[in-house]
Amino acid sequence: MKHASHHPTPASDWYENAFDLTRGIAAYTRSPLVDGIAKVIAKHPDADIANAFNHKQVACKIWARDTLLQAAGKSYERIVVLGGWYGILPAMLLEDRRFEIAVAESYDIDPSVETVARTLNATHADRFRAVTADMYAIDYPRLGADLIINTSCEHIADLRSWLELIPAGTRVLLQSNDYFSEPTHINCVASVEAFADQAKLSTIDFAGALPTKKYTRFMLIGTV
Ligand SMILES: C[S@@+](CC[C@H](N)C(=O)[O-])C[C@H]1O[C@@H](n2cnc3c(N)ncnc32)[C@H](O)[C@@H]1O
């Protein structure tokens, strides 16, 4: 114990406090993902991990994970997450014992997130890969993924032309939203119907909406 409990904790100690607290929550919940977050706080203090794991991000990804299980089943050879950032969704999928996943990969154009994603997924090092790549430049037929996930379709200028890079019959999980006022959102949709019109999937296992305080998130699970 560094601080006597009657002393107010200086704000500057919050990095250390966040690390200790996260390690404690990891021990209590036995979650490899939470343990990974503690490691990220210690090794990559500049990573925006609190934003990436805020309760709204978590809610959208739990929605994706639970719906995927119901709509498309538990077994995957190779899951590829595009714009995967710190690899939180792969971590959530890999630690979920309801699933049987051989490999999950996170692709992101930002080279600085690769090592953070690896630290976050250190427990699953044998089943996780982080790759720096532009999602428009990936050779999808060669990847041979049986599930491709993109939870930031609102950032893709032309969703259909990106989907055309993916071999027909591949299963995809896509999320977008109606958060038009955020300037980096260049391709929001007003409804799940509009999202489905844009994606033109050949089969649909799930189409739905998750209202949040500021905006509604939409999700499609199906095959291209
Ligand atoms: C900030 S996250 C989006 C957050 C979103 N709510 C989510 O979790 O799905 C978007 C990520 O996509 C990445 N990204 C943007 N353009 C990309 C591209 N062309 N190829 C691969 N990744 C890209 C960014 O570097 C960023 O890490």
Side-chain angles (χ1 to χ4, degrees):
M1 270 282 254
K2 288 206 179 96
H3 304 285
S5 55
H6 56 276
H7 285 153
T9 305
S12 60
D13 278 349
W14 256 99
Y15 257 114
E16 215 172 297
N17 286 351
F19 173 67
D20 286 343
L21 181 61
T22 312
R23 276 225 300 193
I25 298 170
Y28 187 64
T29 60
R30 299 192 181 94
S31 162
L33 165 54
V34 179
D35 186 54
I37 290 173
K39 290 193 172 88
V40 168
I41 291 169
K43 278 180 76 176
H44 312 278
D46 294 334
D48 197 9
I49 193 72
N51 184 17
F53 200 66
N54 74 34
H55 70 280
K56 291 172 277 184
Q57 294 281 359
V58 170
C60 295
K61 287 175 175 69
I62 286 181
W63 184 44
R65 184 175 70 173
D66 290 349
T67 311
L68 176 69
L69 184 67
Q70 276 177 5
K74 63 177 184 177
S75 299
Y76 301 91
E77 283 301 312
R78 190 171 193 179
I79 297 179
V80 166
V81 180
L82 300 166
W85 206 1
Y86 299 137
I88 284 171
L89 185 54
M92 286 178 58
L93 290 165
L94 287 171
E95 81 168 14
D96 189 329
R97 289 170 186 276
R98 297 173 299 173
F99 285 90
E100 288 163 8
I101 299 166
V103 175
E105 299 174 327
S106 185
Y107 283 69
D108 201 287
I109 198 167
D110 178 354
S112 74
V113 301
E114 191 184 300
T115 51
V116 182
R118 236 170 250 147
T119 299
L120 187 87
N121 282 281
T123 310
H124 311 292
D126 52 335
R127 294 194 297 151
F128 176 77
R129 277 201 336 139
V131 182
T132 299
D134 180 350
M135 68 171 90
Y136 296 100
I138 292 170
D139 182 350
Y140 291 97
R142 234 187 86 195
L143 265 190
D146 53 359
L147 173 64
I148 291 182
I149 299 180
N150 189 333
T151 60
S152 33
C153 294
E154 68 278 8
H155 291 278
I156 295 191
D158 183 351
L159 183 64
R160 192 54 228 167
S161 70
W162 171 67
L163 284 169
E164 272 161 19
L165 302 173
I166 298 170
T170 306
R171 178 164 272 121
V172 292
L173 182 158
L174 308 172
Q175 286 189 355
S176 189
N177 60 51
D178 64 358
Y179 200 175
F180 289 93
S181 61
E182 163 61 47
T184 61
H185 292 172
I186 52 175
N187 195 9
C188 284
V189 285
S191 65
V192 69
E193 292 77 19
F195 191 26
D197 273 355
Q198 207 182 51
K200 295 188 176 60
L201 298 180
S202 53
T203 64
I204 292 191
D205 305 307
F206 175 86
L210 181 73
T212 69
K213 223 173 182 178
K214 284 196 197 154
Y215 60 89
T216 300
R217 190 161 276 265
F218 306 113
M219 179 160 64
L220 301 171
I221 300 174
T223 56
V224 291

